[in-house]
């Protein structure tokens, strides 16, 4: 059974940093695309960052470019989202997602595998 489990969320002051983790299990993710999405209060779920498991390509939303970094540890089968210079508008539930194929990196409807989410709250 394929499973994604996020962790690392919490409360942080504006300007601070957090690192989210997404532990993947149940299959090998070589060839998969891994992504982070977020859903703020009263908002639609939106794309944050994605990467191919091979780590040769990564894509970021304009709102987080230069502040967030997506990466993975092959040995631990874990994907990370390093978030720096956090802003109040980054407050959201952050979800890890996975899919096979290499198209539509930013479209949440193309990702069939999701974690349960982890809350990130940034106080201003």
């Amino acid at each position: 059974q394929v499973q994604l489990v996020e962790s690392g969320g919490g409360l942080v002051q504006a300007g601070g940093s957090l690192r989210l983790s997404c532990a993947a299990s149940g299959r090998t993710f070589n060839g998969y695309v891994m992504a982070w999405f977020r859903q703020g209060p009263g908002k639609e779920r939106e794309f944050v960052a994605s990467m191919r498991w091979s780590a040769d390509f990564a894509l970021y939303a304009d709102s987080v470019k230069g502040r967030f970094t997506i990466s993975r540890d092959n040995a631990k089968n874990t994907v990370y989202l390093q978030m720096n210079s956090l802003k109040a508008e980054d407050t959201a539930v952050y979800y890890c997602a996975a899919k096979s194929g290499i198209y539509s990196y930013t479209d949440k409807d193309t990702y069939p595998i999701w974690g349960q989410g982890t809350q990130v709250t940034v106080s201003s």
Side-chain angles (χ1 to χ4, degrees):
Q1 181 181 356
V2 178
Q3 192 173 17
L4 302 176
V5 178
E6 302 98 332
S7 61
L11 174 64
V12 63
Q13 287 188 331
S17 298
L18 279 176
R19 188 178 79 159
L20 305 183
S21 299
C22 171
S25 62
R27 63 156 297 130
T28 176
F29 285 85
N30 290 335
Y32 268 55
V33 173
M34 308 299 294
W36 289 95
F37 289 81
R38 68 186 181 186
Q39 188 164 13
K43 297 181 179 180
E44 294 285 322
R45 192 170 299 190
E46 65 176 2
F47 169 77
V48 175
S50 64
M51 66 179 293
R52 288 203 285 254
W53 192 263
S54 58
D56 60 348
F57 179 80
L59 187 67
Y60 297 91
D62 287 343
S63 59
V64 307
K65 203 172 294 182
R67 300 188 298 122
F68 290 12
T69 303
I70 187 171
S71 64
R72 64 104 175 92
D73 184 325
N74 210 24
K76 295 182 179 179
N77 232 31
T78 299
V79 176
Y80 302 100
L81 185 68
Q82 178 66 44
M83 306 186 295
N84 299 327
S85 302
L86 282 161
K87 305 175 182 179
E89 51 263 44
D90 295 318
T91 294
V93 177
Y94 283 71
Y95 297 91
C96 180
K99 67 173 182 177
S100 60
I102 58 172
Y103 300 104
S104 302
Y105 287 89
T106 65
D107 186 351
K108 64 182 184 300
D109 294 331
T110 65
Y111 287 83
I113 306 168
W114 290 85
Q116 83 289 350
T118 185
Q119 175 71 47
V120 172
T121 302
V122 184
S123 63
S124 55

